[in-house]
Amino acid sequence: MGKGVAITGMGIISAIGNTVAENYLALIGEKKGISRIAWIDTIHKNEIMVGEINFSNAELESQLALDSNNNYSRTALLGAIAAKQAIAAAQITNIDTYKTGLISATSVGGMDMTERYFYEYLEEKSLQKYIDGHHAGDSSQKIAEQLGINHSLVTTISTACSSAANAIMFGARLIKAGKLDRVVVGGSDCLSKFTINGFKTLMILSDTYNTPFDENRKGLNLGEAAAFLVLESDAVVKAENKKVLAYVKGYGNANDAYHQTASSENGDGATLAMEKALKVAGLNPKDIDYVNAHGTATGNNDLSEGKALIRVFGENLPEFSSTKAYTGHTLAAAGAIEAVYSILALQHSVIYPNLNFKTQMKEFEITPQTTLKEKTLSAVLSNSLGFGGNCSTLIFTKEP
Amino acid sequence: MKRVFIQSVGSVSCQKTFDNSQFLDEIEIYEANVVPAIDPAYKDYIPPAAARRMAKGIKMGIVASKIALSDAGLDSVDAIITGTGMGCLVESEKFVSAIIDNKEEYLTPTSFIQSTHNTVGGQIALDLECKGYNFTYVHSSISFESALLDAQLQLAMEEAETILVGGVDELGAHTVKIHKLVHHIKAEMVSSARLLESNTEGAVFGEGANFFVLSNQKKEGAYAELLAVDILNTLDKEDLSQSMERFLATAELKVEDIDLLVMGNNGDVVFDTYYRELSDGLFSKIPQAYYKHLSGEFNTASSFGVWLASKILKFQQIPEDTKLNSITSSKLNRILLYNQYRGQNHSFVLLQKC
Amino acid sequence: MSDLKQELKAKIIEQLNLEDISVDTIADDDSLFGDGLGLDSIDALELIVMLDKDYGIKLLDPKEGRKIFESIEVMANYIAEHRTK
């Protein structure tokens, strides 16, 4: 049984950049990707702000050189772009050399097309090609096709806002168990009227820039993004003399079992997830150098997560920040986006500021890191917490 | 690596499978192209206050999981892993149509919340007060097998001792309508007794929930041992037999070691050719069975296949109505399951008597 | 006013799918959340939409809802005072 789970490539497209390098520059340059919505026509456009990727579907299609009768949803388009970057970064030229799988995550799937053509399907034959593209697994099938992954394990995870963290977790397990030599893991979600209106009904969308861990936080900004990592076994790394970016050292998932949507006030699920991840990693809380928090800027999440951080770390809480102020909450993709950011933090010895923070929360004393800080990091912990009580933690390290 | 056992089963389907003391004693025959699941008395399992915000998929999932837990004599488990192709479709459709019909005004949260794919897994966790690992796989016809594989790995690697694993999908009116348009659902009504003779495109759609308690300790009453699971996103018909042999070889088995092949034939004249490849070729001398005439086709219908195979191994009896050929075997030790949907997302599952 | 109260009870039962409860079993001063009818935060959001749709009252902060939805009595008084339709 292999032990290490090496990360050898990564790719990302988000509101703050179309490549890993662009995302990093925006992070250290403190450039937010939050704006008024441009590509979706919604009656809420003046009441919400979003993290949108500034390409039309047609532009994304042409980046992938798709022909005009393709039936890619925006989720599939974004996912394919990010996954291809990850494969290129890992310098994989022949995907078939090793047994390679794909674990992708999405919550929106092909809903962007479904909501557009829901009734038109009944009348317009040329649109019916999108019917098959609705289900969540379709975007993963298309990403696999773009990567040339055949006769292999390709599956999709959807656990709301923790989905991509869970895809990374399952991928790591598959490598550890020797089921696969190499696995592409991550997630993709596009903006849609469905999620905009859904979160609107929950009254947790901010009408301005989101402010994680701030006393006066007004809710989240939705975002769209995709990010993927290439995970490889020790054997592949050795045989190919691969450069390793970082390791997936620990992972844990737990359920709050508290409420359909809300997190428990004392953060039971998040506490359990972090404790499990530390145990799997064989690390103590004091070994963690930076926490990339879920920090969605909703009243409920930040309180619950903050309490969980205090429960797990006590006096040893390192610098923590949420990068949602940059990207918005990218739902099922968030865990992968923040995995890329965590790995970049390790590589560059830097902690990103929790932008837009002004006022200390009343309920506790912990304060996020608000300025860019240089610090040598050897272990970064990243949280992803979602609907249905789903709580996930990943730990990335520089050394195996 | 620990061995993994199917300790118990729970099923809500188009057959009266919710009574675990029976095993398809009476078969419901349908003349239809869409078949809803037979409702158990949900009130016996779910208090009305909790049920008021539950789609049928959630209810079916909770009932099937409660049956499986009680069958295993457990109050809770270490982990819950769910497979669902489409999640709670009815509420998802309701929310999309409300967005369009009401032009984004006066929308309410209940449908949106239930449209989240992991809502069934989350509700089961709430119901069992289970704070353990909780995953939901949503990948067409291998949604359930993904869950099964995840559970198998965790149990084998001793990350958990008992895991509730299941597949659940529900029918939605609009989805049925558009799937008829693209001929994924048969245009005509078909008798379930003659599904495989229909000779037409498309399947007969159904719905249901099949849950299992898996454990890495064999306890009394266990149904079967789970030997292996494999998932393939693509597979050409010509490569099927070879892939199957390779899969069996990973368990150090050959075709002749298999006592029953259970397949996912759904009566679609275009894609049942995959199954025929095996039934007429590699497995022509092996007893064969099928089940989608009983369960209907849905993304997690293969969980009904695993339910059937588990019951067959425990009861040591193959229901007449499920037999695909007349070959009999003196023993019933190992069952191989094969399923795919529209030529994609293939799964192999290998079970052994215990 | 008593008509409005009856109307609210019927609407709440329908909107929130309270199958086992009838209009007569809800007293005007029964608390709707917690120990009373047992409604929760999602129900509060449903009721906020009802206020907007049926009575033209827009609430921006869900916390406001909790006070207004204390009981049928409180709710009816609030609606009578603030309704625009």
Side-chain angles (χ1 to χ4, degrees), chain A residues 145-166:
Chain A
E145 195 182 305
Q146 287 287 323
L147 302 181
I149 296 175
N150 285 303
H151 306 144
S152 192
L153 173 53
V154 174
T155 191
T156 311
I157 292 173
S158 197
T159 51
C161 313
S162 58
S163 305
N166 290 343

Side-chain angles (χ1 to χ4, degrees), chain A residues 43 168 229 255 399:
Chain A
I43 66 161
I168 296 169
L229 310 176
N255 198 283
E399 301 300 325

Side-chain angles (χ1 to χ4, degrees), chain A residues 1 41-44 99 103 106-107 111 114-116 118-119 121-123 125 128 131-132 134-138 140-141 144-145 149-160 165-167 169-170 173-174 176-177 179 193-199 201-202 251 253-261 268-269 272 276 280 386-390 392, chain B residues 1 53-54 58 78 85-86 89 91-101 103-105 107-119 121-123 125-126 129-140 142-143 146 149-150 152-154 157 159 174 177-179 181-184 229-236 239 299 342 344-345:
Chain A
M1 198 196 287
D41 184 27
T42 163
I43 66 161
H44 308 302
K99 197 171 181 212
I103 315 298
T106 184
S107 63
M111 187 57 89
T114 302
E115 68 189 21
R116 202 173 299 176
F118 193 71
Y119 293 124
Y121 286 148
L122 303 174
E123 315 289 332
K125 225 177 158 69
Q128 290 174 0
I131 292 174
D132 238 357
H134 168 77
H135 71 94
D138 181 75
S140 314
Q141 290 287 95
E145 195 182 305
I149 296 175
N150 285 303
H151 306 144
S152 192
L153 173 53
V154 174
T155 191
T156 311
I157 292 173
S158 197
T159 51
N166 290 343
M169 200 178 302
F170 186 52
R173 179 171 287 121
L174 288 164
K176 277 195 183 181
K179 262 280 181 193
K193 277 193 185 179
F194 194 88
T195 40
I196 291 169
N197 282 286
F199 281 86
T201 66
L202 297 171
Y251 44 75
N253 172 270
N255 198 283
D256 232 5
Y258 172 75
H259 187 264
Q260 268 179 316
T261 57
D268 280 351
L272 282 169
K276 275 191 197 176
V280 170
F387 271 14
N390 210 282
S392 297
Chain B
M1 292 283 222
R53 271 201 310 249
M54 283 186 185
I58 302 177
D78 298 332
M86 299 289 235
L89 255 184
E91 295 294 323
S92 310
E93 290 177 2
K94 213 190 268 180
F95 198 68
V96 184
S97 58
I99 290 173
I100 302 171
D101 300 347
K103 302 188 170 56
E104 300 184 77
E105 282 192 287
L107 301 171
T108 57
T110 302
S111 301
F112 176 66
I113 291 164
Q114 293 183 68
S115 76
T116 317
H117 287 93
N118 64 327
T119 193
Q123 284 284 359
L126 263 179
E129 294 176 36
C130 174
K131 291 185 191 278
Y133 181 95
N134 193 305
F135 264 38
T136 299
Y137 290 90
V138 294
H139 197 93
S140 183
I142 53 104
S143 304
S146 302
L149 174 63
D150 186 353
Q152 187 206 22
L153 293 178
Q154 292 194 50
M157 297 181 355
E159 289 182 57
H174 188 80
K177 210 191 265 180
I178 60 179
H179 280 82
L181 287 176
V182 292
H183 311 296
H184 292 186
V229 187
D230 208 5
I231 291 167
L232 299 170
N233 63 326
T234 60
L235 186 58
D236 294 332
D239 298 333
N299 285 148
R342 302 186 68 80
Q344 289 193 318
N345 297 310

